[in-house]
Amino acid sequence: MKIGLIGYGKMGKTIEEIALQRGHEVVLKIDVDNIADLNASNLSKTDAVIEFTGPHSAYNNVMKSLEAGARVVCGSTGWLEKFDEVKKYCSSVNGTFLYASNFSVGVNIFFELNKRLAELMAPHEDYEISLTEIHHTQKRDAPSGTAITLAEKIIEKIPRKKTWVNHLSDQENELEIISERIDPAPGTHKVKYSSVIDDIEIVHTAHSRKGFALGAVLAAEFVHNKKGIFSMKDVLDL
Ligand SMILES: NC(=O)c1ccc[n+]([C@@H]2O[C@H](COP(=O)([O-])OP(=O)(O)OC[C@H]3O[C@@H](n4cnc5c(N)ncnc54)[C@H](O)[C@@H]3O)[C@@H](O)[C@H]2O)c1
C-alpha cells in the first residue's frame, strides 16, 4: 500500500517503521514545516493517510484529506467535539474514515472487558467507580481519549452515572477520571469498583508505542478499497 503520514512526531515515526516492516511504502510525510504539501495532488497518490498530529490540527487535516478523496485513519485525540461533523461530511462525500481513541489491540479487548464489567456491576450500587489514566508529561489533552471512551461505556451501562468529570468527585451521578502525568508512561488505564467489602480493578498498561502504531497500520490495511465510517471493532472483528 502507498501510505501518507500526517504528523511525523513520536507516533508518525513509529507508524513509518511498522508500515515499512509490513511491506508498505510511505509516499507522503506531512509535518509543521511542509503543511502546504497536504494538497489534493499529493493525497491522490496515497491509498490511505494516517493522521497523528494533536487536538488543534486533527480536524483540519482530516477534512482536507476527505475533501481530496483520501481514505483517512485518525488517531489524534482531544478534538471529538467535531467528530459528528466529520462523520456527516464523510458520508456526504461517500468517503472513508476510521477513528480510534486507542489503536492498540489489547486496549480494544480491554474496552470489551470494561463494557462487560459495567453490565455486571450496574445493579451493585454499593460500589463506587473511578477511572485513572497515566501518560507521559508531553501529552497535551486530559483526560485521554481512551479514558473518555471507557467512561462513556460505563455511563451507558450504569444508570446512576450521568456524566464524567476530570477531578475527584463525591457526587453520586459523576464518574471521576483522574489524570496523572508521569514520564515515560506510554499509557496506563485503570477502572476500579470499590466497596467497603472489596475492590475490583481492571488495568491496561502499554509498554511501548508500537502497539498503537501496529493498530493504525492494520486499520489502514483494513480501509484500503473500502468506503464508509469504521472503528477498531470492525478491524479486529470484536
Ligand atoms: N489513538 C491512539 O492510539 C494514540 C496513541 C498515541 C498517541 N495518540 C495521539 O496522537 C497525537 C500525536 O501523538 P504523538 O505522541 O505522535 O505527538 P508528537 O507531538 O510527538 O507528534 C505530533 C506531530 O504532529 C506535528 N504537527 C502539529 N501540527 C501539525 C499540523 N497542523 N500538520 C501536520 N503536522 C502537525 C508536530 O510537529 C509533531 O511532529 C496526540 O493527539 C496523541 O494523544 C493517539
Side-chain angles (χ1 to χ4, degrees), residues 175-208:
L175 172 59
E176 68 184 34
I177 306 178
I178 304 307
S179 298
E180 294 175 14
R181 295 291 172 258
I182 303 166
D183 285 323
T188 296
H189 292 87
K190 181 164 84 180
V191 181
K192 182 172 178 181
Y193 292 78
S194 189
S195 78
V196 286
I197 300 197
D198 56 13
D199 292 348
I200 303 173
E201 284 179 64
I202 54 171
V203 185
H204 178 272
T205 310
H207 298 310
S208 85

PDB file of all heavy atoms in Angstrom, residues 175-208:
ATOM      1  N   LEU A 175     -18.906  10.430  37.320  1.00  0.00           N
ATOM      2  CA  LEU A 175     -17.855   9.408  37.234  1.00  0.00           C
ATOM      3  C   LEU A 175     -16.519  10.140  37.171  1.00  0.00           C
ATOM      4  O   LEU A 175     -16.274  10.920  36.243  1.00  0.00           O
ATOM      5  CB  LEU A 175     -18.059   8.567  35.963  1.00  0.00           C
ATOM      6  CG  LEU A 175     -16.961   7.572  35.607  1.00  0.00           C
ATOM      7  CD1 LEU A 175     -16.745   6.549  36.721  1.00  0.00           C
ATOM      8  CD2 LEU A 175     -17.298   6.856  34.303  1.00  0.00           C
ATOM      9  N   GLU A 176     -15.672   9.901  38.183  1.00  0.00           N
ATOM     10  CA  GLU A 176     -14.423  10.674  38.197  1.00  0.00           C
ATOM     11  C   GLU A 176     -13.346  10.007  37.357  1.00  0.00           C
ATOM     12  O   GLU A 176     -13.200   8.789  37.350  1.00  0.00           O
ATOM     13  CB  GLU A 176     -13.938  10.924  39.632  1.00  0.00           C
ATOM     14  CG  GLU A 176     -13.473   9.691  40.343  1.00  0.00           C
ATOM     15  CD  GLU A 176     -13.084   9.935  41.796  1.00  0.00           C
ATOM     16  OE1 GLU A 176     -13.706  10.782  42.466  1.00  0.00           O
ATOM     17  OE2 GLU A 176     -12.160   9.243  42.270  1.00  0.00           O
ATOM     18  N   ILE A 177     -12.631  10.848  36.599  1.00  0.00           N
ATOM     19  CA  ILE A 177     -11.453  10.393  35.854  1.00  0.00           C
ATOM     20  C   ILE A 177     -10.264  11.167  36.414  1.00  0.00           C
ATOM     21  O   ILE A 177     -10.252  12.401  36.374  1.00  0.00           O
ATOM     22  CB  ILE A 177     -11.552  10.686  34.338  1.00  0.00           C
ATOM     23  CG1 ILE A 177     -12.845  10.120  33.741  1.00  0.00           C
ATOM     24  CG2 ILE A 177     -10.325  10.142  33.615  1.00  0.00           C
ATOM     25  CD1 ILE A 177     -13.021  10.423  32.240  1.00  0.00           C
ATOM     26  N   ILE A 178      -9.297  10.450  36.959  1.00  0.00           N
ATOM     27  CA  ILE A 178      -8.095  11.099  37.478  1.00  0.00           C
ATOM     28  C   ILE A 178      -6.988  10.960  36.437  1.00  0.00           C
ATOM     29  O   ILE A 178      -6.706   9.842  35.978  1.00  0.00           O
ATOM     30  CB  ILE A 178      -7.657  10.442  38.821  1.00  0.00           C
ATOM     31  CG1 ILE A 178      -8.822  10.481  39.835  1.00  0.00           C
ATOM     32  CG2 ILE A 178      -6.411  11.118  39.380  1.00  0.00           C
ATOM     33  CD1 ILE A 178      -9.438  11.834  40.058  1.00  0.00           C
ATOM     34  N   SER A 179      -6.396  12.097  36.034  1.00  0.00           N
ATOM     35  CA  SER A 179      -5.309  12.093  35.046  1.00  0.00           C
ATOM     36  C   SER A 179      -3.992  12.338  35.759  1.00  0.00           C
ATOM     37  O   SER A 179      -3.859  13.331  36.480  1.00  0.00           O
ATOM     38  CB  SER A 179      -5.530  13.193  34.010  1.00  0.00           C
ATOM     39  OG  SER A 179      -6.732  12.962  33.313  1.00  0.00           O
ATOM     40  N   GLU A 180      -3.022  11.435  35.548  1.00  0.00           N
ATOM     41  CA  GLU A 180      -1.684  11.647  36.111  1.00  0.00           C
ATOM     42  C   GLU A 180      -0.693  11.723  34.963  1.00  0.00           C
ATOM     43  O   GLU A 180      -0.834  10.999  33.976  1.00  0.00           O
ATOM     44  CB  GLU A 180      -1.313  10.480  37.052  1.00  0.00           C
ATOM     45  CG  GLU A 180      -2.192  10.431  38.282  1.00  0.00           C
ATOM     46  CD  GLU A 180      -1.914   9.198  39.160  1.00  0.00           C
ATOM     47  OE1 GLU A 180      -0.879   8.531  38.961  1.00  0.00           O
ATOM     48  OE2 GLU A 180      -2.758   8.909  40.017  1.00  0.00           O
ATOM     49  N   ARG A 181       0.285  12.623  35.070  1.00  0.00           N
ATOM     50  CA  ARG A 181       1.299  12.787  34.008  1.00  0.00           C
ATOM     51  C   ARG A 181       2.670  12.448  34.577  1.00  0.00           C
ATOM     52  O   ARG A 181       3.212  13.207  35.388  1.00  0.00           O
ATOM     53  CB  ARG A 181       1.252  14.226  33.458  1.00  0.00           C
ATOM     54  CG  ARG A 181      -0.067  14.545  32.748  1.00  0.00           C
ATOM     55  CD  ARG A 181      -0.199  13.754  31.435  1.00  0.00           C
ATOM     56  NE  ARG A 181      -1.510  13.883  30.827  1.00  0.00           N
ATOM     57  CZ  ARG A 181      -2.456  12.947  30.901  1.00  0.00           C
ATOM     58  NH1 ARG A 181      -2.262  11.814  31.573  1.00  0.00           N
ATOM     59  NH2 ARG A 181      -3.605  13.118  30.281  1.00  0.00           N
ATOM     60  N   ILE A 182       3.213  11.298  34.174  1.00  0.00           N
ATOM     61  CA  ILE A 182       4.485  10.792  34.709  1.00  0.00           C
ATOM     62  C   ILE A 182       5.311  10.256  33.538  1.00  0.00           C
ATOM     63  O   ILE A 182       4.783   9.463  32.737  1.00  0.00           O
ATOM     64  CB  ILE A 182       4.232   9.623  35.722  1.00  0.00           C
ATOM     65  CG1 ILE A 182       3.307  10.063  36.861  1.00  0.00           C
ATOM     66  CG2 ILE A 182       5.548   9.073  36.268  1.00  0.00           C
ATOM     67  CD1 ILE A 182       2.753   8.915  37.692  1.00  0.00           C
ATOM     68  N   ASP A 183       6.562  10.662  33.400  1.00  0.00           N
ATOM     69  CA  ASP A 183       7.402  10.117  32.312  1.00  0.00           C
ATOM     70  C   ASP A 183       8.011   8.791  32.723  1.00  0.00           C
ATOM     71  O   ASP A 183       8.327   8.613  33.905  1.00  0.00           O
ATOM     72  CB  ASP A 183       8.510  11.118  31.959  1.00  0.00           C
ATOM     73  CG  ASP A 183       7.923  12.276  31.176  1.00  0.00           C
ATOM     74  OD1 ASP A 183       7.016  12.023  30.366  1.00  0.00           O
ATOM     75  OD2 ASP A 183       8.350  13.421  31.390  1.00  0.00           O
ATOM     76  N   PRO A 184       8.194   7.844  31.808  1.00  0.00           N
ATOM     77  CA  PRO A 184       7.902   7.936  30.384  1.00  0.00           C
ATOM     78  C   PRO A 184       6.636   7.173  29.991  1.00  0.00           C
ATOM     79  O   PRO A 184       6.556   6.668  28.879  1.00  0.00           O
ATOM     80  CB  PRO A 184       9.126   7.241  29.773  1.00  0.00           C
ATOM     81  CG  PRO A 184       9.448   6.139  30.763  1.00  0.00           C
ATOM     82  CD  PRO A 184       8.965   6.608  32.108  1.00  0.00           C
ATOM     83  N   ALA A 185       5.624   7.094  30.863  1.00  0.00           N
ATOM     84  CA  ALA A 185       4.466   6.211  30.669  1.00  0.00           C
ATOM     85  C   ALA A 185       3.814   6.360  29.288  1.00  0.00           C
ATOM     86  O   ALA A 185       3.278   7.423  28.975  1.00  0.00           O
ATOM     87  CB  ALA A 185       3.426   6.507  31.752  1.00  0.00           C
ATOM     88  N   PRO A 186       3.818   5.320  28.429  1.00  0.00           N
ATOM     89  CA  PRO A 186       3.127   5.408  27.132  1.00  0.00           C
ATOM     90  C   PRO A 186       1.604   5.355  27.287  1.00  0.00           C
ATOM     91  O   PRO A 186       0.885   5.749  26.385  1.00  0.00           O
ATOM     92  CB  PRO A 186       3.617   4.190  26.348  1.00  0.00           C
ATOM     93  CG  PRO A 186       4.680   3.550  27.148  1.00  0.00           C
ATOM     94  CD  PRO A 186       4.558   4.054  28.560  1.00  0.00           C
ATOM     95  N   GLY A 187       1.089   4.870  28.417  1.00  0.00           N
ATOM     96  CA  GLY A 187      -0.367   4.873  28.620  1.00  0.00           C
ATOM     97  C   GLY A 187      -0.846   3.743  29.527  1.00  0.00           C
ATOM     98  O   GLY A 187      -0.714   2.573  29.183  1.00  0.00           O
ATOM     99  N   THR A 188      -1.390   4.127  30.693  1.00  0.00           N
ATOM    100  CA  THR A 188      -1.981   3.143  31.614  1.00  0.00           C
ATOM    101  C   THR A 188      -3.405   3.584  31.905  1.00  0.00           C
ATOM    102  O   THR A 188      -3.655   4.779  32.107  1.00  0.00           O
ATOM    103  CB  THR A 188      -1.175   3.085  32.931  1.00  0.00           C
ATOM    104  OG1 THR A 188       0.126   2.608  32.637  1.00  0.00           O
ATOM    105  CG2 THR A 188      -1.818   2.153  33.956  1.00  0.00           C
ATOM    106  N   HIS A 189      -4.349   2.641  31.886  1.00  0.00           N
ATOM    107  CA  HIS A 189      -5.747   2.948  32.211  1.00  0.00           C
ATOM    108  C   HIS A 189      -6.259   1.941  33.229  1.00  0.00           C
ATOM    109  O   HIS A 189      -6.045   0.737  33.056  1.00  0.00           O
ATOM    110  CB  HIS A 189      -6.615   2.917  30.949  1.00  0.00           C
ATOM    111  CG  HIS A 189      -6.285   4.037  30.019  1.00  0.00           C
ATOM    112  ND1 HIS A 189      -5.299   3.939  29.078  1.00  0.00           N
ATOM    113  CD2 HIS A 189      -6.794   5.297  29.921  1.00  0.00           C
ATOM    114  CE1 HIS A 189      -5.198   5.090  28.435  1.00  0.00           C
ATOM    115  NE2 HIS A 189      -6.093   5.928  28.916  1.00  0.00           N
ATOM    116  N   LYS A 190      -6.891   2.466  34.265  1.00  0.00           N
ATOM    117  CA  LYS A 190      -7.398   1.594  35.332  1.00  0.00           C
ATOM    118  C   LYS A 190      -8.860   1.940  35.609  1.00  0.00           C
ATOM    119  O   LYS A 190      -9.207   3.114  35.734  1.00  0.00           O
ATOM    120  CB  LYS A 190      -6.557   1.824  36.585  1.00  0.00           C
ATOM    121  CG  LYS A 190      -6.969   0.971  37.763  1.00  0.00           C
ATOM    122  CD  LYS A 190      -5.888   0.962  38.813  1.00  0.00           C
ATOM    123  CE  LYS A 190      -6.006   2.169  39.714  1.00  0.00           C
ATOM    124  NZ  LYS A 190      -4.979   2.208  40.767  1.00  0.00           N
ATOM    125  N   VAL A 191      -9.700   0.911  35.678  1.00  0.00           N
ATOM    126  CA  VAL A 191     -11.098   1.099  36.065  1.00  0.00           C
ATOM    127  C   VAL A 191     -11.271   0.363  37.388  1.00  0.00           C
ATOM    128  O   VAL A 191     -10.920  -0.825  37.490  1.00  0.00           O
ATOM    129  CB  VAL A 191     -12.064   0.490  35.012  1.00  0.00           C
ATOM    130  CG1 VAL A 191     -13.513   0.727  35.424  1.00  0.00           C
ATOM    131  CG2 VAL A 191     -11.794   1.073  33.633  1.00  0.00           C
ATOM    132  N   LYS A 192     -11.781   1.085  38.406  1.00  0.00           N
ATOM    133  CA  LYS A 192     -11.853   0.485  39.742  1.00  0.00           C
ATOM    134  C   LYS A 192     -13.265   0.600  40.315  1.00  0.00           C
ATOM    135  O   LYS A 192     -13.851   1.691  40.301  1.00  0.00           O
ATOM    136  CB  LYS A 192     -10.862   1.212  40.649  1.00  0.00           C
ATOM    137  CG  LYS A 192     -10.792   0.673  42.057  1.00  0.00           C
ATOM    138  CD  LYS A 192      -9.633   1.339  42.783  1.00  0.00           C
ATOM    139  CE  LYS A 192      -9.529   0.872  44.217  1.00  0.00           C
ATOM    140  NZ  LYS A 192      -8.424   1.523  44.915  1.00  0.00           N
ATOM    141  N   TYR A 193     -13.781  -0.512  40.784  1.00  0.00           N
ATOM    142  CA  TYR A 193     -15.056  -0.559  41.509  1.00  0.00           C
ATOM    143  C   TYR A 193     -14.697  -0.853  42.960  1.00  0.00           C
ATOM    144  O   TYR A 193     -14.071  -1.872  43.246  1.00  0.00           O
ATOM    145  CB  TYR A 193     -15.968  -1.655  40.956  1.00  0.00           C
ATOM    146  CG  TYR A 193     -16.466  -1.371  39.552  1.00  0.00           C
ATOM    147  CD1 TYR A 193     -15.642  -1.580  38.445  1.00  0.00           C
ATOM    148  CD2 TYR A 193     -17.750  -0.894  39.324  1.00  0.00           C
ATOM    149  CE1 TYR A 193     -16.089  -1.311  37.154  1.00  0.00           C
ATOM    150  CE2 TYR A 193     -18.204  -0.626  38.032  1.00  0.00           C
ATOM    151  CZ  TYR A 193     -17.371  -0.836  36.960  1.00  0.00           C
ATOM    152  OH  TYR A 193     -17.821  -0.573  35.688  1.00  0.00           O
ATOM    153  N   SER A 194     -15.118   0.013  43.867  1.00  0.00           N
ATOM    154  CA  SER A 194     -14.654  -0.099  45.239  1.00  0.00           C
ATOM    155  C   SER A 194     -15.818  -0.056  46.220  1.00  0.00           C
ATOM    156  O   SER A 194     -16.654   0.852  46.160  1.00  0.00           O
ATOM    157  CB  SER A 194     -13.712   1.094  45.476  1.00  0.00           C
ATOM    158  OG  SER A 194     -13.075   0.943  46.686  1.00  0.00           O
ATOM    159  N   SER A 195     -15.875  -1.053  47.120  1.00  0.00           N
ATOM    160  CA  SER A 195     -16.889  -1.031  48.177  1.00  0.00           C
ATOM    161  C   SER A 195     -16.182  -1.217  49.519  1.00  0.00           C
ATOM    162  O   SER A 195     -14.970  -1.449  49.546  1.00  0.00           O
ATOM    163  CB  SER A 195     -17.915  -2.157  47.963  1.00  0.00           C
ATOM    164  OG  SER A 195     -17.363  -3.383  48.392  1.00  0.00           O
ATOM    165  N   VAL A 196     -16.926  -1.150  50.631  1.00  0.00           N
ATOM    166  CA  VAL A 196     -16.269  -1.372  51.926  1.00  0.00           C
ATOM    167  C   VAL A 196     -15.801  -2.818  52.044  1.00  0.00           C
ATOM    168  O   VAL A 196     -14.884  -3.132  52.804  1.00  0.00           O
ATOM    169  CB  VAL A 196     -17.193  -1.020  53.122  1.00  0.00           C
ATOM    170  CG1 VAL A 196     -17.337   0.475  53.280  1.00  0.00           C
ATOM    171  CG2 VAL A 196     -18.549  -1.674  52.995  1.00  0.00           C
ATOM    172  N   ILE A 197     -16.419  -3.713  51.275  1.00  0.00           N
ATOM    173  CA  ILE A 197     -16.076  -5.147  51.379  1.00  0.00           C
ATOM    174  C   ILE A 197     -14.881  -5.509  50.509  1.00  0.00           C
ATOM    175  O   ILE A 197     -13.991  -6.240  50.919  1.00  0.00           O
ATOM    176  CB  ILE A 197     -17.312  -5.988  50.987  1.00  0.00           C
ATOM    177  CG1 ILE A 197     -18.426  -5.630  51.956  1.00  0.00           C
ATOM    178  CG2 ILE A 197     -16.986  -7.485  50.934  1.00  0.00           C
ATOM    179  CD1 ILE A 197     -19.563  -6.519  52.068  1.00  0.00           C
ATOM    180  N   ASP A 198     -14.854  -5.004  49.270  1.00  0.00           N
ATOM    181  CA  ASP A 198     -13.746  -5.375  48.371  1.00  0.00           C
ATOM    182  C   ASP A 198     -13.622  -4.397  47.204  1.00  0.00           C
ATOM    183  O   ASP A 198     -14.455  -3.504  47.047  1.00  0.00           O
ATOM    184  CB  ASP A 198     -13.917  -6.817  47.842  1.00  0.00           C
ATOM    185  CG  ASP A 198     -15.249  -7.032  47.135  1.00  0.00           C
ATOM    186  OD1 ASP A 198     -15.939  -6.048  46.820  1.00  0.00           O
ATOM    187  OD2 ASP A 198     -15.595  -8.201  46.877  1.00  0.00           O
ATOM    188  N   ASP A 199     -12.563  -4.597  46.432  1.00  0.00           N
ATOM    189  CA  ASP A 199     -12.334  -3.800  45.216  1.00  0.00           C
ATOM    190  C   ASP A 199     -12.219  -4.746  44.029  1.00  0.00           C
ATOM    191  O   ASP A 199     -11.699  -5.856  44.175  1.00  0.00           O
ATOM    192  CB  ASP A 199     -11.002  -3.031  45.282  1.00  0.00           C
ATOM    193  CG  ASP A 199     -11.013  -1.935  46.332  1.00  0.00           C
ATOM    194  OD1 ASP A 199     -12.100  -1.606  46.846  1.00  0.00           O
ATOM    195  OD2 ASP A 199      -9.920  -1.423  46.629  1.00  0.00           O
ATOM    196  N   ILE A 200     -12.699  -4.272  42.873  1.00  0.00           N
ATOM    197  CA  ILE A 200     -12.446  -4.984  41.613  1.00  0.00           C
ATOM    198  C   ILE A 200     -11.780  -3.971  40.691  1.00  0.00           C
ATOM    199  O   ILE A 200     -12.288  -2.861  40.520  1.00  0.00           O
ATOM    200  CB  ILE A 200     -13.754  -5.492  40.965  1.00  0.00           C
ATOM    201  CG1 ILE A 200     -14.512  -6.405  41.927  1.00  0.00           C
ATOM    202  CG2 ILE A 200     -13.465  -6.212  39.649  1.00  0.00           C
ATOM    203  CD1 ILE A 200     -15.899  -6.807  41.434  1.00  0.00           C
ATOM    204  N   GLU A 201     -10.632  -4.369  40.103  1.00  0.00           N
ATOM    205  CA  GLU A 201      -9.928  -3.445  39.208  1.00  0.00           C
ATOM    206  C   GLU A 201      -9.564  -4.140  37.917  1.00  0.00           C
ATOM    207  O   GLU A 201      -9.170  -5.311  37.937  1.00  0.00           O
ATOM    208  CB  GLU A 201      -8.595  -3.020  39.841  1.00  0.00           C
ATOM    209  CG  GLU A 201      -8.706  -2.018  40.950  1.00  0.00           C
ATOM    210  CD  GLU A 201      -7.324  -1.695  41.518  1.00  0.00           C
ATOM    211  OE1 GLU A 201      -6.491  -1.159  40.796  1.00  0.00           O
ATOM    212  OE2 GLU A 201      -7.097  -2.033  42.693  1.00  0.00           O
ATOM    213  N   ILE A 202      -9.689  -3.420  36.810  1.00  0.00           N
ATOM    214  CA  ILE A 202      -9.089  -3.903  35.564  1.00  0.00           C
ATOM    215  C   ILE A 202      -8.103  -2.831  35.094  1.00  0.00           C
ATOM    216  O   ILE A 202      -8.388  -1.637  35.197  1.00  0.00           O
ATOM    217  CB  ILE A 202     -10.124  -4.274  34.469  1.00  0.00           C
ATOM    218  CG1 ILE A 202     -11.087  -3.115  34.179  1.00  0.00           C
ATOM    219  CG2 ILE A 202     -10.896  -5.529  34.825  1.00  0.00           C
ATOM    220  CD1 ILE A 202     -11.986  -3.364  32.962  1.00  0.00           C
ATOM    221  N   VAL A 203      -6.936  -3.294  34.625  1.00  0.00           N
ATOM    222  CA  VAL A 203      -5.858  -2.361  34.260  1.00  0.00           C
ATOM    223  C   VAL A 203      -5.276  -2.753  32.915  1.00  0.00           C
ATOM    224  O   VAL A 203      -5.036  -3.945  32.662  1.00  0.00           O
ATOM    225  CB  VAL A 203      -4.702  -2.398  35.305  1.00  0.00           C
ATOM    226  CG1 VAL A 203      -3.646  -1.342  34.979  1.00  0.00           C
ATOM    227  CG2 VAL A 203      -5.206  -2.221  36.711  1.00  0.00           C
ATOM    228  N   HIS A 204      -5.060  -1.754  32.059  1.00  0.00           N
ATOM    229  CA  HIS A 204      -4.289  -1.984  30.837  1.00  0.00           C
ATOM    230  C   HIS A 204      -3.051  -1.098  30.886  1.00  0.00           C
ATOM    231  O   HIS A 204      -3.155   0.098  31.122  1.00  0.00           O
ATOM    232  CB  HIS A 204      -5.092  -1.644  29.578  1.00  0.00           C
ATOM    233  CG  HIS A 204      -4.279  -1.846  28.339  1.00  0.00           C
ATOM    234  ND1 HIS A 204      -3.476  -0.862  27.818  1.00  0.00           N
ATOM    235  CD2 HIS A 204      -4.086  -2.942  27.568  1.00  0.00           C
ATOM    236  CE1 HIS A 204      -2.841  -1.341  26.761  1.00  0.00           C
ATOM    237  NE2 HIS A 204      -3.194  -2.601  26.584  1.00  0.00           N
ATOM    238  N   THR A 205      -1.887  -1.686  30.682  1.00  0.00           N
ATOM    239  CA  THR A 205      -0.633  -0.925  30.683  1.00  0.00           C
ATOM    240  C   THR A 205       0.067  -1.118  29.352  1.00  0.00           C
ATOM    241  O   THR A 205       0.425  -2.252  29.003  1.00  0.00           O
ATOM    242  CB  THR A 205       0.297  -1.424  31.822  1.00  0.00           C
ATOM    243  OG1 THR A 205      -0.464  -1.465  33.029  1.00  0.00           O
ATOM    244  CG2 THR A 205       1.498  -0.524  32.002  1.00  0.00           C
ATOM    245  N   ALA A 206       0.240  -0.026  28.611  1.00  0.00           N
ATOM    246  CA  ALA A 206       1.005  -0.117  27.351  1.00  0.00           C
ATOM    247  C   ALA A 206       2.491  -0.058  27.708  1.00  0.00           C
ATOM    248  O   ALA A 206       2.897   0.743  28.549  1.00  0.00           O
ATOM    249  CB  ALA A 206       0.634   1.041  26.438  1.00  0.00           C
ATOM    250  N   HIS A 207       3.297  -0.925  27.082  1.00  0.00           N
ATOM    251  CA  HIS A 207       4.741  -0.906  27.364  1.00  0.00           C
ATOM    252  C   HIS A 207       5.508  -0.074  26.348  1.00  0.00           C
ATOM    253  O   HIS A 207       6.648   0.291  26.585  1.00  0.00           O
ATOM    254  CB  HIS A 207       5.290  -2.341  27.373  1.00  0.00           C
ATOM    255  CG  HIS A 207       4.672  -3.185  28.445  1.00  0.00           C
ATOM    256  ND1 HIS A 207       4.590  -2.769  29.749  1.00  0.00           N
ATOM    257  CD2 HIS A 207       4.076  -4.394  28.394  1.00  0.00           C
ATOM    258  CE1 HIS A 207       3.981  -3.699  30.464  1.00  0.00           C
ATOM    259  NE2 HIS A 207       3.653  -4.693  29.667  1.00  0.00           N
ATOM    260  N   SER A 208       4.906   0.154  25.171  1.00  0.00           N
ATOM    261  CA  SER A 208       5.580   0.993  24.164  1.00  0.00           C
ATOM    262  C   SER A 208       4.523   1.529  23.207  1.00  0.00           C
ATOM    263  O   SER A 208       3.372   1.118  23.250  1.00  0.00           O
ATOM    264  CB  SER A 208       6.621   0.180  23.391  1.00  0.00           C
ATOM    265  OG  SER A 208       6.005  -0.494  22.316  1.00  0.00           O
TER     266      SER A 208
END
